Amino acid sequence: MARILFVMTGADHWTLADGTKHPTGFWAEEAVAPYRAFTEAGHEVVVATPGGVVPTVDRASLPPEANGGQAGADAVAAGLEAFTALRHPVRLEEVEPSDYAAVFCPGGHGPMEDLAVSAVAGRLLTGALDSGRPLGVVCHAPAALLAAERPDGTWPFAGYRLTGFTNAEETQAGLAGRAKWLLQDRLVALGADFREREPWTPHVVADRNLYTGQNPASSAPLAAEMLKVLD
């Protein structure tokens, strides 16, 4: 059994370009599907957030229309209830990365608010990358990679093949025109080799020990890829 660290947002909103606070948090499927995959494989999941705050679920990720129907919504609700570690997070500032066999970051718009500017998260993810252990990041969670920086000012993830929530998906979701910045743009500007597929289709990119998923539907396939190197 391995211990897997879930680095999660502590934000309950995303500040848009006009100053509006868009209610958000973490996207339910992106936490529940990997949690289920990892724990069913016998692994332990520990949740860490900035300040140790209990993470907020994005309410938009709960209804049937966000989960392929009522059965999917019921499964996500049951998964959140079973995910007891969500209610007892540790402080991200006190995490020792070497205690964990892998690191995983669920998305939702929350990471765009706090993890994207968190030096603590940046250092932790850089350490995870350098350790060679699996590092999984999905949807909007690659925003946390933006805070990573080496002492010489370079970005640790430059040149890596990766993916994340695309400009096309943000546009179709209706928030691209209201955002201060778009995730895909920022990652490309820093030197990522960004790979995208059609909006909303499952897409996982693995480059060395970095595993990334494009959108919520990529969460379970991403976890499955990580499990191949954990088992």
Side-chain angles (χ1 to χ4, degrees), residues 8 10 48-54 89-94 114 120:
M8 298 185 65
T49 63
V53 302
V54 175
V90 300
R91 288 173 50 87
L92 190 62
E93 297 83 355
E94 297 174 359
D114 60 353
V120 172

Side-chain angles (χ1 to χ4, degrees), residues 142-209:
L145 306 183
L146 302 176
E149 185 178 24
R150 297 205 183 279
D152 63 1
T154 59
W155 190 49
F157 299 91
Y160 274 78
R161 297 187 307 276
L162 55 79
T163 190
F165 205 65
T166 65
N167 289 354
E169 287 167 325
E170 200 72 84
T171 298
Q172 292 181 19
L175 288 169
R178 302 175 63 196
K180 293 180 180 179
W181 49 271
L182 298 179
L183 179 60
Q184 181 177 350
D185 289 345
R186 289 284 301 277
L187 292 168
V188 170
L190 283 171
D193 181 1
F194 194 92
R195 307 293 180 93
E196 65 179 297
R197 288 188 180 166
E198 287 298 311
W200 315 110
T201 59
H203 178 43
V204 173
V205 176
D207 187 351
R208 288 156 278 186
N209 62 316

Side-chain angles (χ1 to χ4, degrees), residues 2-83:
R3 298 179 78 210
I4 300 172
L5 181 70
F6 273 39
V7 175
M8 298 185 65
T9 179
D12 61 5
H13 68 275
W14 177 33
T15 305
L16 302 176
D18 64 359
T20 299
K21 293 184 176 182
H22 174 71
T24 186
F26 70 90
W27 198 260
E29 180 182 1
E30 296 171 26
V32 167
Y35 172 80
R36 183 181 296 120
F38 292 139
T39 55
E40 287 181 354
H43 303 303
E44 176 189 0
V45 169
V46 175
V47 172
T49 63
V53 302
V54 175
T56 298
V57 64
D58 190 323
R59 306 302 298 180
S61 68
L62 300 179
E65 55 268 28
N67 292 285
Q70 188 60 54
D74 292 344
V76 161
L80 288 172
E81 181 64 27
F83 194 166

Side-chain angles (χ1 to χ4, degrees), residues 101 126-135 208-211 229:
T126 300
L129 184 75
D130 291 346
S131 74
R133 300 184 183 96
L135 170 59
R208 288 156 278 186
N209 62 316
L210 177 65
Y211 298 79
V229 295

